[in-house]
Amino acid sequence: MVLGQSEYFKRDLMTPSERLSAYHRGEPVDRLPCVPIVGNTAARVVGTKVSQFRGNGKLLAHAHIEAYRLFQYDIIRIFTDLYTQAEAMGATVHYPEDETAYLEKPALASHGELDQLQPADPYRDGNLPHHLEAMKIAVDKVGKEVTVTGALTCPFTNASFLVGAEQLVRLMLRNPEAVHRLCEISLETNLRYAKAIIDAGCTPSLTDAMSSCTVISPRQFQEFSYPYLKRLIDYIHSRGKSVTLHICGKTNRIWDRMVEAGADCISIDNDADLLEAKEKVGCQVRLMGNVKPSEVMLQGTGDDVRAAVLDCLSKAYDNPKGYIVASGCSLPTETPFRNIHAMLDTVRKVGYPVDPEKLERLSAG
Amino acid sequence: MSELKAKLFQDLSDAVVDMDEEKTVETSHRVIDEGIDAYEAIEKGLAHGMDRVGELFDQEEYFIPEVLICSDAMYAGVEVLKPHLKGDEQGEKKKVVIGVIEGDTHDIGKNLVKIMLETSGFDVFDLGRDIPPQQFVDKAKEVGAHIIGLSTLMTTTMDGMREVVRILEETNLREQFKVIVGGGPISQSFADKIGADGYAANAADAVRLARKLVS
């Protein structure tokens, strides 16, 4: 297999860990941190089928380590899909041979069966032990040079996989108590899994797709998602780890709550605007985002990627609490390698400190 | 319109907006008892309310939970009124076959589009989720659909959308159906690329698009 190589001659001078900690301290860096959120594209890097990751921590680790080595991005995230904890609690996940898994059946047919639910044991249930193994291996092999994180699906979103998204949102209005119980038990699983992730030497990376204003209202976020999210983040902080929180879709009306919940960095989708985020919460939180994963990274050309990265940079490079160039969400599996290289190369070319005039010059072609 | 009739229609509309299922059912019974036309009550009462819900959704006053509960209230009223519809007065409704492409089970978006299309007078055939491309074509042929609506949230299933268009072309059926696409990873440029007839960014857009395509 021939791997696409970075076209740009300039190589990184710092390791990702050196870069992130220097950037955090406000010291000079060689370039801004950059995280194309690589998911199952890692399978393509090592030439394996996506379904091979199931039950195979060694392969999952190998793929993510090699993807990191190929692209040289700044954070590794061990991830296959959003359903690992729900699966460990009884949800049925369908594994196509070579595509990202999806939810086939929620854990419960109806909320009447709520009493049957148990929080998952991360060392025993579903694929969680294999994911933990992958995290451990990755930390052992490259943990000195790069932050290794493990994907964790947050309480409200995980709850949606326990009874089904549509039933969950109906319950919010018809039986709020049931939603709270589902979130509580999801949180218990989350806390156990977060503990196991941190014990493995890794950092949880939080995703909360359903908490988006594309789905629920800011008021509903406050009532059903925020309290559990906050307790989860408090725990992670108590273990000395910082927290990156990704919520998909529209989020501008809950950014302040995401910050209040304790997020140190918020990762925003392309349905949200970086400039607006900088103005509203940039003094309190680091921003990450938001090159379009599908339209630009999957379907666009290298030039499209460069233009999109420069656009993001021009909006957020001077965010008071810092900025990480990233895709708006996990990259589709078939994202061309050249586009991932193009993202990193653009950030290298821009260099540091970011010069707005240079950005304009590069944007003009 | 008599005062009573106007009031009952307004009550139906309000009950939908207020997510009051009991009231839509009760008021619908009242409509029948008063000998008021069931079709008109759906159009000017329940569907009217759902239109307002759509506006509130557009304005980000209502979100998906509210829209679903409002639609529950609307459908509960429709159930009461339906047996009293006279066969010929609904006219020839435009038909839409809709579903989530194989490889994906996210269907809230699709369900919203279905609700909004039904409220706007389309006859919607909902295939559900995780549906193979061929099945869309088969169903569209079977019911004589005007539009095929394809939804997905996952990029892995985008090829399935392309496949639907390809099957239509291969079987010389492309001109018979309008194909519309939507969902998280979909964009106008993708719709253009696969040769779809249109892209809708949200449920309200989907209704506007569908209306435009069949007018």
Side-chain angles (χ1 to χ4, degrees):
Chain A
M1 183 177 186
V2 181
L3 299 178
Q5 287 300 316
S6 169
E7 289 164 22
Y8 194 60
F9 62 90
K10 187 171 174 182
R11 304 307 307 171
D12 295 328
L13 304 171
M14 306 172 92
T15 67
S17 291
E18 288 167 352
R19 182 177 303 113
L20 272 177
S21 41
Y23 187 58
H24 198 65
R25 291 189 304 263
E27 291 166 8
V29 287
D30 55 345
R31 61 162 170 84
L32 276 182
C34 177
V35 182
I37 309 175
V38 168
N40 285 323
T41 307
R44 298 295 172 257
V45 173
V46 295
T48 188
K49 292 203 183 334
V50 174
S51 60
Q52 299 296 111
F53 289 150
R54 187 181 185 184
N56 193 340
K58 286 186 185 67
L59 184 62
L60 183 58
H62 172 62
H64 278 279
I65 291 167
E66 290 309 312
Y68 154 69
R69 285 182 173 149
L70 175 61
F71 301 117
Q72 299 284 307
Y73 44 72
D74 288 274
I75 295 171
I76 292 179
R77 187 178 66 138
I78 303 295
F79 168 85
T80 52
D81 57 80
L82 296 175
Y83 311 109
T84 47
Q85 293 162 98
E87 182 186 49
M89 295 172 79
T92 310
V93 176
H94 179 71
Y95 292 85
E97 197 190 357
D98 203 15
E99 279 163 10
T100 298
Y102 57 94
L103 185 68
E104 188 172 304
K105 223 170 70 199
L108 305 179
S110 87
H111 68 277
E113 301 167 5
L114 243 166
D115 290 336
Q116 298 169 15
L117 271 183
Q118 295 292 328
D121 175 351
Y123 296 107
R124 189 194 65 196
D125 296 332
N127 276 296
L128 297 179
H130 308 292
H131 277 249
L132 287 172
E133 185 192 5
M135 292 174 209
K136 222 174 267 168
I137 294 170
V139 168
D140 281 349
K141 291 221 166 129
V142 290
K144 284 202 172 60
E145 58 188 275
V146 61
T147 304
V148 181
T149 68
L152 188 152
T153 305
C154 294
F156 184 72
T157 300
N158 189 68
S160 79
F161 305 146
L162 298 178
V163 290
E166 194 163 325
Q167 190 172 182
L168 186 79
V169 297
R170 278 200 162 85
L171 286 173
M172 288 168 62
L173 295 166
R174 296 202 191 282
N175 187 351
E177 196 41 49
V179 179
H180 283 295
R181 284 181 64 196
L182 284 159
C183 289
E184 189 70 50
I185 197 164
S186 286
L187 174 66
E188 183 56 38
T189 297
N190 285 165
L191 289 170
R192 292 178 185 190
Y193 194 40
K195 178 177 188 304
I197 291 172
I198 297 169
D199 289 345
C202 203
T203 305
S205 169
L206 308 190
T207 302
D208 205 0
M210 282 287 290
S211 285
S212 164
C213 300
T214 305
V215 183
I216 61 171
S217 71
R219 200 175 44 75
Q220 287 156 347
F221 173 81
Q222 178 68 20
E223 180 180 349
F224 295 104
S225 183
Y226 175 87
Y228 304 96
L229 206 46
K230 176 144 187 13
R231 281 159 66 191
L232 176 61
I233 294 175
D234 283 348
Y235 170 73
I236 298 170
H237 280 165
S238 79
R239 298 286 309 269
K241 299 283 187 182
S242 73
V243 170
T244 295
L245 172 62
H246 175 79
I247 298 183
C248 303
K250 289 184 204 159
T251 45
N252 54 343
R253 288 170 68 183
I254 54 168
W255 288 332
D256 51 347
R257 309 325 320 271
M258 291 166 75
V259 172
E260 224 166 288
D264 302 283
C265 173
I266 61 175
S267 154
I268 70 173
D269 196 341
N270 39 272
D271 275 353
D273 183 49
L274 277 172
L275 195 61
E276 190 189 345
K278 179 177 78 180
E279 281 157 7
K280 282 198 172 152
V281 289
C283 288
Q284 297 157 277
V285 76
R286 180 162 298 171
L287 297 175
M288 181 169 158
N290 65 351
V291 178
K292 293 177 178 174
S294 174
E295 196 176 348
V296 173
M297 294 302 291
L298 174 67
Q299 301 165 65
T301 62
D303 284 338
D304 294 334
V305 174
R306 274 181 282 279
V309 168
L310 292 171
D311 182 51
C312 288
L313 276 166
S314 68
K315 288 176 178 166
Y317 80 91
D318 57 351
N319 188 59
K321 282 282 186 175
Y323 170 59
I324 298 176
V325 179
S327 50
C329 205
S330 281
L331 292 182
T333 306
E334 312 306 336
T335 302
F337 291 179
R338 62 176 160 75
N339 283 355
I340 302 177
H341 285 305
M343 178 184 261
L344 269 301
D345 279 348
T346 307
V347 177
R348 288 185 189 112
K349 202 164 189 170
V350 167
Y352 191 88
V354 177
D355 171 6
E357 278 173 27
K358 186 175 180 186
L359 281 183
E360 260 177 51
R361 228 169 31 241
L362 290 169
S363 299
Chain B
M1 205 189 303
S2 80
E3 212 170 288
L4 175 66
K5 192 162 141 184
K7 182 185 178 304
L8 289 177
F9 290 176
Q10 188 62 47
D11 284 352
L12 283 174
S13 175
D14 290 347
V16 170
V17 175
D18 296 340
M19 300 173 245
D20 192 340
E21 191 170 323
E22 263 173 49
K23 192 162 176 206
T24 55
V25 169
E26 189 191 299
T27 312
S28 297
H29 282 299
R30 181 88 197 279
V31 163
I32 301 304
D33 293 345
E34 298 287 345
I36 294 167
D37 183 58
Y39 181 71
E40 213 182 328
I42 292 177
E43 283 298 297
K44 296 179 182 160
L46 297 170
H48 180 265
M50 209 57 211
D51 272 350
R52 290 163 60 200
V53 171
E55 279 164 29
L56 290 167
F57 183 66
D58 259 0
Q59 296 157 5
E60 295 185 27
E61 293 289 328
Y62 274 13
F63 292 79
I64 288 176
E66 288 83 8
V67 175
L68 290 175
I69 302 292
C70 290
S71 76
D72 288 349
M74 172 193 69
Y75 285 125
V78 169
E79 281 310 305
V80 174
L81 296 169
K82 226 190 213 162
H84 303 276
L85 291 174
K86 300 170 199 120
D88 56 345
E89 67 190 352
Q90 292 182 67
E92 190 54 19
K93 284 189 173 183
K94 302 287 184 186
K95 292 173 182 165
V96 183
V97 168
I98 194 172
V100 176
I101 290 267
E102 184 171 30
D104 194 358
T105 53
H106 294 92
D107 62 355
I108 284 192
K110 182 267 295 170
N111 292 345
L112 283 189
V113 173
K114 176 192 170 186
I115 292 163
M116 297 299 183
L117 284 172
E118 284 187 335
T119 316
S120 309
F122 287 89
D123 202 357
V124 181
F125 297 83
D126 181 9
L127 294 173
R129 53 197 201 179
D130 203 7
I131 304 299
Q134 183 67 46
Q135 210 172 315
F136 284 92
V137 178
D138 293 345
K139 190 72 182 175
K141 278 199 293 194
E142 180 197 321
V143 303
H146 300 82
I147 293 175
I148 300 174
L150 308 171
S151 164
T152 190
L153 190 68
M154 290 166 74
T155 50
T156 47
T157 60
M158 289 163 67
D159 282 341
M161 294 189 164
R162 193 191 304 266
E163 180 66 8
V164 171
V165 177
R166 199 193 58 76
I167 294 171
L168 291 174
E169 279 167 356
E170 210 163 68
T171 50
N172 290 320
L173 293 168
R174 184 65 190 88
E175 298 307 313
Q176 276 189 40
F177 311 108
K178 302 288 183 191
V179 178
I180 63 176
V181 295
I186 308 302
S187 59
Q188 183 64 52
S189 69
F190 176 76
D192 295 343
K193 205 181 283 177
I194 66 166
D197 296 288
Y199 156 75
N202 54 51
D205 250 12
V207 172
R208 283 189 282 270
L209 177 64
R211 280 191 173 140
K212 198 179 85 190
L213 288 172
V214 297
S215 67

